[in-house]
Amino acid sequence: QVQLVESGGGLVQAGGSLRLSCAASGSIFSINAMGWYRQAPGKQRELVARLTSGGNTYYSDFVKGRFTISRGDAKDTVYLQMNSLKPEDTAVYYCNAALLLVSEVRNEYWGQGTQVTVSS
């Protein structure tokens, strides 16, 4: 069983900052990549940022220069530092991980989501 547990969402004023955390646990052999997606009401889920095991990062244009994705020392935790937040950043943020399990199964897993609300 694999779990991705997110934390750090909340309510913040425009221009403020939040830091999201996601910790992966379970029968994980290796982590190929971890990332963050978001879904606003009435919209499709979209990629925010992604970090590969090799340290490569990808950011969607709408967060470049404002958000930073990083990995914890334990390698099974990923953070999303969100600065200069805008009301349009309001969404449920989901952690995503591409994993190789001890059972040799490769799959993608999702967290339960954490709400981020930015007030104007």
Side-chain angles (χ1 to χ4, degrees), residues 1-58:
Q1 195 76 3
V2 172
Q3 275 194 316
L4 299 181
V5 179
E6 301 137 334
S7 61
L11 173 64
V12 66
Q13 288 189 331
S17 299
L18 283 174
R19 188 192 195 207
L20 305 183
S21 301
C22 173
S25 63
S27 302
I28 300 169
F29 181 78
S30 65
I31 298 175
N32 297 326
M34 293 185 76
W36 292 93
Y37 288 70
R38 71 186 187 186
Q39 187 167 19
K43 295 187 176 182
Q44 288 190 331
R45 191 173 296 189
E46 58 185 359
L47 174 65
V48 175
R50 193 164 177 84
L51 173 63
T52 70
S53 58
N56 295 316
T57 57
Y58 171 84

